[in-house]
Amino acid sequence: MQALYTAVLYFGTFLVIGWVGKLVLARWMARHGATLPEVKDQFGRSGRKERRFLLGFWYKD
């Protein structure tokens, strides 16, 4: 039973940190009027689809 408590504490902490980070980032972007395409344009990313490799998977950006 202690292993279950440890797993919940361990994984739950990461889930809560990720959820809070997502909320903070969404509020900050909404306050400053930034959208994801605007942020990508600032980094010189064009609108074309590019194939990328992330965490063992290929995806189109």
Side-chain angles (χ1 to χ4, degrees):
M1 197 65 165
Q2 184 164 348
L4 180 63
Y5 294 141
T6 303
V8 167
L9 179 67
Y10 183 77
F11 292 115
T13 302
F14 283 107
L15 289 174
V16 169
I17 290 171
W19 180 69
V20 169
K22 182 179 176 183
L23 286 176
V24 168
L25 187 60
R27 287 185 181 175
W28 184 84
M29 288 182 72
R31 184 179 305 148
H32 295 296
T35 62
L36 188 57
E38 291 172 353
V39 173
K40 284 185 176 181
D41 288 340
Q42 290 176 0
F43 287 106
R45 306 281 300 268
S46 63
R48 69 179 190 273
K49 297 283 184 182
E50 297 177 2
R51 289 190 56 155
R52 299 192 179 272
F53 188 76
L54 178 66
L55 299 175
F57 295 98
W58 286 96
Y59 72 98
K60 289 189 178 182
D61 184 25

